[in-house]
Structure formats: C-alpha cells, structure tokens
Amino acid sequence: MPSLPGIIIDRPHGAEAEDAFFRLTSEVEKVTELYRHLHANPRVSGDEGDTLRTLMDELPAAFEKETLPGNVGIVRIGEAGPSVAIRAEMDALPILEETDLPWAATTGAMHACGHDVHMAAFVAVARTIAAMTVSPAPLVGILQPREEVGDSGAHDVLRAGVLDTHDIGAVIGAHLQPALESKAFSCTSGPVNAAADEFKVVFAGQASHGAYPHHSSDPLLAVSAFVVSCQQIVARNVDPTQSAVLTVGTIKGGSSPNAIPDSAEVTGTIRTMSEEQRLMVQRRLREVANGIAAAHDCAVRLEIRKGEPILRNDPELAAEIERLLDGQGHTLREFRSYGSDDFAFYASAARAVMIFTGTEVEAGNLHSNTFTPDAGAISRVATAMLTGYLAAAHILKQHGPVHPSVS
Ligand SMILES: [Zn+2]
C-alpha cells in the first residue's frame, strides 16, 4: 500500500484514507489547467451558469448531477444513508484584475476571493473519493452560486431542502486565509466568523441657503454626529474582553458648497460574534440615531438588513479534523475573524466546519485586484476538504447526524 513519508493517519480512518491522500496528490496536479481556465473565465454572482457546467463536465460520470434553479449544482456519489457535503462557491467579484498572471482575467470580473482555487480543489477531492473502493460515506457536492452578495446561494440550497433530500449529516467548507501563514490550517471550535448585518440611516431636515443656516435643520451635522457617536456603541457597550465591529462605509448628502441639503444618509456594516451582542448593537444604533435626530431637529429612518448569521464550527467535528490534520503533520492555528461567509447558513442548520487554510500571497489580499495565491494553495484546500470529509464520515458512523439549534 502506498503511503506518504511522514504522514501517519489514525487507524479509525483506515487504510482507505491513507490511499485517498496519496491519490489526492496526483489529482491536484491534474486540476491545474482547470484552475487556470476558471481563473481566466470568472463569472460574477448570479452569472455562474458557465462555471457550473464546466464543473459538472469535470466530475466523473459516476456522480449523479442535478441543477436547481439559480445555478445551484448538487452532485452526489455513494449509496443511500447519511452523507457528507462539501461546499464549493463559484462566484467571482466585479473587480478589474491587475495581476501579471498569464491566465489573468480581462473582463472586469476576477476570482479575487480564491473561489477558483476552492472549485479546482473540490474537483480533485471528488475524483479522489469517487476512486475509493470503500468510501466511508456518500459525498454530496454543493456547487454554490452567489456567496459574495446578499442574495445568498447558501440560502437557496437550504430553501430547496437539499440537506433533507440528501440526508446530509455534516457540511464541510474550506477557504483560503492569507492572515494565516502558508502551510497552517485552522478549524477552531465555536464562532469563527461574525454575523454581518447592514444598516442605512437617513436623516431628513430642512434645506436652506448656506449663508442662512438658522433657517435649516441640518442633516449633514446630524450625519456627522451620528458617525462619531455610533463608534461609542462598541467602545462603551461591548465587553472589552469580547468585541464587535461597526463600520460606516458610505456617507452621502448635499450637492453644493453653499447650500444645506434636506437629507443625508450613511450606510455601514455591523459584525458581532454572539446573538445577544447582535441585538444589543442594533438596539443601541436605533437609540443613538433617534437621539441625534432629536438633538438636530431632524427626522430619522433606520433600516437594518439581516445578513449572514454567526459561523459556528461544530466542536466535535472540528476536534476530529484537527486530530486528523495533526496526524498528517500539519500546523494548526486558532483563528477567528470578523469576516463573514454565507457558509454560516449551513452551520446554523447542520453539523458543519469551515476550515481556513493559510496562504502565502505573492501579491494583494482577498478581494484585491492583485490577489495572487501561492502555487500550493489548491493542494492545501483539497487536503482540508478531504480531511473534513473523512472526519465527518467517521463521526456520522459513530453518532449519526446532529442538528444544532438554529441561532
Ligand atoms: Zn470567499
């Protein structure tokens, strides 16, 4: 039986697992061209039809393949029974690429979040699992559109009942993370990404000539006071041993240097790591907006759009993945960030773990126009996905699926 030098796989995962990791190495080499094709032909959120067809074509014929409305692809291999799902997101960002890569995109869209790497890694993992003579659990691939936008593709997958239809007992996700050193993996237990809600506050006042401000109720002053005051919600209402983020991203108001407009607005994002904190920040934001409006003799309207929930990694599955990664000699790190990912919707409905894989970036960072992950990125994401699959299959065999309470 072939084995990789220095790699010790725990026996509960069996010789099949050892073979699988050995096979994965060659499957990863074979998806390089696919990765370059996906990178050169990015499709933004809502336009992933092409990408989905490419992925479907790359998967072995033994996979059952189904396309659901909205460019959701569900592929499956294995007998009936509790299955393990791996999520691969397909969308690119509307960014004009500025890398020197020979396979750089030129269309104004760019895979600047590494989803091309994730997709190529998924195909390598799917081919590896399809080749296992005894697979430990059916595999369901969730080829997911629209991760980058509010109209979440993960939401569509759940609404379509895919978890029940395919008896999915655990969901695995993997994402490049340049904040971690390359070669490091992280599958920290509990909350790892924040809930992400967006807000918009509109102050409506009384317009006037800029030289006669006493005839106005100035919404620009109200907005200015609001932007400063809302920072005190985190500074003075959040336990300093924990944290939260409240960022104002846009301020709009006025069109002339010598006129006071009749309205002005700000938008921003709220990132929290507990449901209690999430509700508290929303309540305080409303109170601060109302107070500022009263002080400036303006009316105010506050809208909060609920986004992704907190992403919580299942503790038992995370521990099993860590054990397997450690057994392979990989470096493990604890990592949480106030970023968000719609993978959190799966983690709210099923046992799930998001594994972050360290990535050395040759240039740029996630979502930048020069983002260039290192050459080993596909291999590490594939290792994370296959390890997650094996660990989840092992746990399902022991305990069966467990559905956490929805947050
Ligand atoms: Zn992403």
Side-chain angles (χ1 to χ4, degrees):
M1 178 175 47
S3 65
L4 288 175
I7 292 186
I8 306 148
I9 308 289
D10 274 353
R11 299 314 294 175
H13 299 277
E16 276 291 323
E18 291 180 50
D19 274 352
F21 281 104
F22 187 77
R23 184 179 189 100
L24 186 65
T25 308
S26 63
E27 293 295 351
V28 164
E29 279 167 25
K30 290 183 208 155
V31 295
T32 305
E33 277 311 309
L34 169 64
Y35 158 69
R36 290 176 183 173
H37 171 81
L38 293 169
H39 188 91
N41 297 278
R43 298 290 182 262
V44 293
S45 313
D47 185 35
E48 301 94 337
D50 262 12
T51 303
L52 178 57
R53 280 188 290 279
T54 301
L55 292 180
M56 293 284 202
D57 289 347
E58 291 287 335
L59 291 170
F63 273 86
E64 296 163 32
K65 300 168 187 172
E66 187 185 3
T67 300
L68 302 178
N71 290 331
V72 171
I74 303 296
V75 298
R76 181 191 173 98
I77 193 164
E79 305 301 314
S83 61
V84 177
I86 300 177
R87 190 283 296 261
E89 348 65 317
M90 299 185 289
D91 50 341
L93 288 151
I95 290 174
L96 181 61
E97 182 161 353
E98 299 278 349
T99 71
D100 297 327
L101 295 171
W103 51 88
T106 54
T107 57
M110 177 184 176
H111 272 298
C113 198
H115 297 180
D116 46 354
V117 172
H118 304 167
M119 288 186 278
F122 170 76
V123 168
V125 170
R127 289 173 178 169
T128 300
I129 292 170
M132 291 176 85
T133 46
V134 185
S135 78
L139 168 70
V140 175
I142 300 173
L143 307 175
Q144 188 208 296
R146 285 172 280 111
E147 191 283 319
E148 300 284 4
V149 290
D151 180 22
S152 157
H155 223 188
D156 283 2
V157 173
L158 292 180
R159 255 200 311 258
V162 172
L163 292 188
D164 290 334
T165 317
H166 288 275
D167 196 7
I168 293 172
V171 189
I172 301 299
H175 207 296
L176 299 180
Q177 182 45 262
L180 288 167
E181 78 248 44
S182 73
K183 300 204 172 79
F185 291 81
S186 178
C187 54
T188 305
S189 163
V192 292
N193 266 182
D197 303 317
E198 285 183 3
F199 67 87
K200 176 173 163 184
V201 183
V202 182
F203 289 95
Q206 174 65 51
S208 86
H209 192 296
Y212 306 98
H214 52 298
H215 293 153
S216 77
S217 294
D218 190 344
L220 293 179
L221 273 184
V223 155
S224 307
F226 174 79
V227 169
V228 174
S229 296
C230 70
Q231 293 307 314
Q232 292 170 25
I233 297 172
V234 174
R236 286 295 173 267
N237 296 116
V238 175
D239 180 339
T241 63
Q242 301 168 22
S243 201
V245 177
L246 201 157
T247 292
V248 170
T250 70
I251 303 177
K252 285 186 203 150
S255 57
S256 167
N258 58 4
I260 292 170
D262 61 2
S263 72
E265 68 171 59
V266 299
T267 64
T269 185
I270 307 167
R271 305 296 174 105
T272 46
M273 281 282 194
S274 77
E275 212 50 39
E276 193 190 357
Q277 217 176 50
R278 189 180 194 181
L279 293 173
M280 183 277 291
V281 173
Q282 290 182 9
R283 175 178 57 78
R284 288 294 293 137
L285 198 66
R286 200 171 297 280
E287 290 168 354
V288 169
N290 286 335
I292 299 268
H296 290 80
D297 199 17
C298 289
V300 67
R301 191 178 76 240
L302 170 68
E303 293 164 20
I304 294 178
R305 189 188 67 78
K306 238 180 143 184
E308 292 87 349
I310 298 152
L311 169 48
R312 290 189 176 85
N313 277 345
D314 177 78
E316 191 181 4
L317 180 53
E320 184 63 15
I321 295 170
E322 277 193 337
R323 208 165 65 81
L324 252 185
L325 286 169
D326 190 47
Q328 296 170 71
H330 293 302
T331 306
L332 293 165
R333 293 278 182 260
E334 184 154 328
F335 180 78
R336 301 176 204 278
S337 89
Y338 282 78
S340 67
D341 192 303
D342 72 356
F343 187 80
F345 286 115
Y346 302 113
S348 295
R351 194 194 277 276
V353 164
M354 166 64 85
I355 307 163
F356 296 108
T357 68
T359 307
E360 195 175 314
V361 280
E362 283 155 27
N365 208 327
L366 291 174
H367 290 210
S368 83
N369 60 1
T370 54
F371 177 62
T372 314
D374 68 293
I378 299 174
S379 168
R380 288 193 299 279
V381 172
T383 298
M385 286 176 172
L386 181 59
T387 303
Y389 164 79
L390 292 170
H394 178 63
I395 283 184
L396 288 184
K397 248 182 211 140
Q398 284 188 318
H399 308 304
V402 174
H403 298 277
S405 55
V406 175
S407 62

